[in-house]
């Protein structure tokens, strides 16, 4: 077991490179680049908040030049990716399907609950309808209000039927076969899943190995808590700890410390590999971006504290409803709260907070302008307004800088 103490800069750069945020097209372009990105990251989180482009599209656009939402729709339709729960709703590579099975089994067996006391009779009726009629959308479920006939086969009250549909999906009987925006179509798993996919239930040890490799591949380093992030499974946590200790003893992993209470684990050759150059680009990341989603890891590795404040009462918010972390070079330098007014094609930056001023101001302003133009386009907007800049001493400099695009 080897302990070392590399500089925070080397650790940050390892994370940024592993995440594919160090240059313009780390995983390629188009649909193939999108699939490569999802495979490399392990998952891309889905979220319904739409004040700007939705989270999964935002995450992918940060890594894929000229990304469009149709790439994911096509990958889902062609069974290259699937939708399920990682630590939250996500797109995952189809080859990782078997690692979704333990959670499905836990829900189906009652070890975990999605909905308490699910309506099994209604679930069977829905399965029978889908088997005969094909894929079903939640909005296809309704009650025949005109006649009041609730006995008509295949029609139910929307709310309980939608819950039954989601329960079947979470238990693994159904999969999302396609999407139209946030409208999902569900079909029988055996009709969606390609025949070549491994459907053997992984052991705790196999699951731990999969999660560890995913973390090291996507982040460059991990922690014990990070391996099983939001997975409350004592047996899995024990297997992950045993695996890490074994790899430390054989020298495959090394333990590093950067002056906090947590230890990071990296592959033994992680810092020996030739370091890729970190570009001077600025990126506005999603609050659900894979680099920032584990807040404790973000704080310890980058000394950056982030909280998504849309779930707080308005008077408790410090930075805004949907504030975006700003990554510049190899550091997080602030955050930006914005909203896309799509009807008038206006991107409003409600507040821009610059918290790290250890950079040449003009270079940072140039990077901001270069980054904000494609960001405006990606929001389906063509104009920009900047309301507030903190500290206020920077406001005029930013307002002058964006004149070239407003």
């Amino acid at each position: 077991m080897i302990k070392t103490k590399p500089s925070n800069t080397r650790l940050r750069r390892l994370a940024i490179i592993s995440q594919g945020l160090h240059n313009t097209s780390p995983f390629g372009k188009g649909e193939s680049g999108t699939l490569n990105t999802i495979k490399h990251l392990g998952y891309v989180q889905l979220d319904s908040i739409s004040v700007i482009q939705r989270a999964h599209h935002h995450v992918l656009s940060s890594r894929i030049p000229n990304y469009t939402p149709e790439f994911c729709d096509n990958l889902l339709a062609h069974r290259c990716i699937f939708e399920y729960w990682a630590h939250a709703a996500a797109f995952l590579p189809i080859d990782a399907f078997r690692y979704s099975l333990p959670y499905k089994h836990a829900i189906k067996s009652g070890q975990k609950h999605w909905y308490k006391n699910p309506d099994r009779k209604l679930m069977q009726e829905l399965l029978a309808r889908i088997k005969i009629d094909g894929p079903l959308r939640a909005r296809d479920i309704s009650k025949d209000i005109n006649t009041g006939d609730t006995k008509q086969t295949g029609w139910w009250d929307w709310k309980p039927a939608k819950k039954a549909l989601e329960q079947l999906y979470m238990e693994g009987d159904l999969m999302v076969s396609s999407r139209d925006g946030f409208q999902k179509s569900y079909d029988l798993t055996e009709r969606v899943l390609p025949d070549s996919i491994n459907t053997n239930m992984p052991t705790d040890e196999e699951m731990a190995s999969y999660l560890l490799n995913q973390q090291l591949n996507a982040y460059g380093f991990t922690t014990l808590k990070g391996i099983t992030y939001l997975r409350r499974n004592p047996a899995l946590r024990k297997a992950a700890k045993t695996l890490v200790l074994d790899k430390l003893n054989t020298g495959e992993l090394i333990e590093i410390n950067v002056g906090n209470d947590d230890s990071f684990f990296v592959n033994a050759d992680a810092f020996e590999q030739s370091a890729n150059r970190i570009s001077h680009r600025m990126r506005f990341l999603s609050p659900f971006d894979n680099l920032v989603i584990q807040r404790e890891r973000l704080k310890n590795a980058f000394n950056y504290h982030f909280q998504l404040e849309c779930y707080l009462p308005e008077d408790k918010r410090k930075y805004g409803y949907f504030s975006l972390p700003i990554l510049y070079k190899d550091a997080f330098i602030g955050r930006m709260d914005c909203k896309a007014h799509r009807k008038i094609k206006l991107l409003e930056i409600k507040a821009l907070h610059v918290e790290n001023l250890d950079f040449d101001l003009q270079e940072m302003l140039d990077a901001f302008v270069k980054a904000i133009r494609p960001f405006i386009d990606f929001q389906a907007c063509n104009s920009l307004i900047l309301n507030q800049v903190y500290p206020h001493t920077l406001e005029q400099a930013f307002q002058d800088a964006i004149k070239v695009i407003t």
Side-chain angles (χ1 to χ4, degrees):
M1 185 183 299
I2 301 173
K3 286 192 178 183
T4 186
K5 190 176 180 179
S7 68
N8 271 39
T9 299
R10 293 180 72 192
L11 194 66
R12 291 198 305 267
R13 292 191 172 197
L14 176 62
I16 291 169
I17 291 167
S18 298
Q19 280 284 300
L21 291 167
H22 60 295
N23 62 34
T24 55
S25 54
F27 307 115
K29 301 177 181 180
E31 280 185 33
S32 62
T34 302
L35 179 57
N36 291 339
T37 302
I38 296 172
K39 285 182 174 180
H40 180 85
L41 297 178
Y43 74 95
V44 172
Q45 185 171 339
L46 297 159
D47 192 81
S48 60
I49 296 173
S50 60
V51 291
I52 60 169
Q53 184 58 270
R54 297 187 192 273
H56 51 296
H57 298 314
H58 188 168
V59 169
L60 291 165
S61 72
S62 297
R63 294 161 174 85
I64 302 164
N66 301 316
Y67 170 84
T68 67
E70 288 75 20
F71 294 163
C72 272
D73 294 340
N74 293 338
L75 290 172
L76 185 66
H78 291 116
R79 313 301 187 239
C80 299
I81 60 176
F82 76 105
E83 186 174 333
Y84 194 63
W85 208 253
H87 64 79
F91 282 141
L92 302 103
I94 195 68
D95 291 341
F97 177 81
R98 68 182 297 235
Y99 298 105
S100 70
L101 296 177
Y103 195 57
K104 291 171 180 173
H105 173 73
I107 294 175
K108 196 163 192 172
S109 65
Q111 298 171 46
K112 294 185 181 296
H113 295 287
W114 190 250
Y115 291 114
K116 289 188 175 181
N117 302 316
D119 188 335
R120 296 288 171 187
K121 181 176 180 295
L122 181 53
M123 288 166 64
Q124 289 304 311
E125 290 176 359
L126 282 166
L127 275 178
R129 172 175 171 177
I130 293 170
K131 186 174 183 179
I132 296 170
D133 295 342
L136 181 69
R137 297 172 298 179
R139 69 181 181 187
D140 292 331
I141 303 168
S142 65
K143 179 179 178 179
D144 190 336
I145 298 174
N146 293 330
T147 64
D149 180 10
T150 59
K151 295 180 180 179
Q152 182 180 348
T153 301
W155 296 94
W156 305 274
D157 286 322
W158 184 82
K159 189 172 181 179
K162 184 174 184 295
K163 285 185 175 182
L165 198 64
E166 291 178 354
Q167 184 76 22
L168 286 164
Y169 162 69
M170 292 305 298
E171 291 186 5
D173 294 294
L174 299 179
M175 290 181 69
V176 175
S177 58
S178 64
R179 265 180 175 268
D180 179 11
F182 248 67
Q183 285 290 333
K184 297 180 285 190
S185 293
Y186 298 91
D187 201 354
L188 302 179
T189 292
E190 58 262 33
R191 290 204 295 233
V192 176
L193 192 65
D195 293 338
S196 60
I197 298 303
N198 187 343
T199 56
N200 293 319
M201 178 75 69
T203 65
D204 289 327
E205 290 73 22
E206 288 175 322
M207 190 74 185
S209 180
Y210 163 74
L211 292 172
L212 174 61
N213 290 335
Q214 181 194 88
Q215 291 281 308
L216 294 174
N217 190 48
Y219 301 102
F221 59 85
T222 190
T223 64
L224 281 176
K225 286 189 288 187
I227 297 169
T228 56
Y229 180 63
L230 297 184
R231 289 176 169 85
R232 297 175 178 85
N233 181 332
L236 178 60
R237 290 179 176 178
K238 182 180 179 181
K241 184 175 182 179
T242 299
L243 179 63
V244 168
L245 290 175
D246 287 346
K247 288 184 176 294
L248 287 170
N249 288 331
T250 60
E252 294 176 69
L253 294 181
I254 58 175
E255 183 178 0
I256 62 176
N257 186 279
V258 289
N260 52 57
D261 295 333
D262 215 347
S263 289
F264 294 118
F265 303 102
V266 303
N267 284 319
D269 62 350
F271 296 111
E272 295 173 7
Q273 299 170 5
S274 58
N276 291 333
R277 183 174 179 270
I278 301 292
S279 75
H280 288 196
R281 296 177 68 198
M282 183 175 289
R283 299 181 191 267
F284 312 115
L285 298 184
S286 167
F288 302 102
D289 193 279
N290 297 56
L291 181 61
V292 304
I293 196 62
Q294 290 194 30
R295 311 301 193 211
E296 186 174 348
R297 178 179 60 198
L298 181 68
K299 179 183 69 175
N300 291 338
F302 286 86
N303 193 29
Y304 183 68
H305 299 252
F306 184 79
Q307 179 182 18
L308 181 56
E309 297 180 344
C310 61
Y311 304 115
L312 298 176
E314 188 171 358
D315 60 352
K316 300 291 185 182
R317 295 174 194 154
K318 181 178 180 181
Y319 297 109
Y321 177 82
F322 200 68
S323 188
L324 311 180
I326 301 175
L327 179 67
Y328 177 49
K329 297 183 179 179
D330 63 357
F332 285 95
I333 65 164
R335 57 206 85 202
M336 178 175 75
D337 182 41
C338 54
K339 176 179 174 62
H341 300 273
R342 296 181 181 91
K343 288 185 178 180
I344 57 174
K345 297 186 178 300
L346 170 69
L347 179 66
E348 176 189 10
I349 302 177
K350 295 175 176 288
L352 176 65
H353 295 262
V354 181
E355 302 156 43
N356 183 340
L357 298 174
D358 295 334
F359 298 100
D360 178 273
L361 178 58
Q362 190 56 52
E363 285 185 2
M364 184 177 69
L365 289 169
D366 291 344
F368 178 84
V369 171
K370 193 172 182 179
I372 200 68
R373 179 69 263 177
F375 190 76
I376 294 170
D377 294 340
F378 190 61
Q379 307 309 319
C381 295
N382 55 28
S383 59
L384 174 72
I385 185 171
L386 173 59
N387 292 341
Q388 296 286 336
V389 178
Y390 302 94
H392 293 303
T393 53
L394 295 180
E395 182 152 357
Q396 192 59 54
F398 273 93
Q399 294 289 2
D400 290 342
I402 66 171
K403 284 179 181 178
V404 297
I405 54 176
T406 58

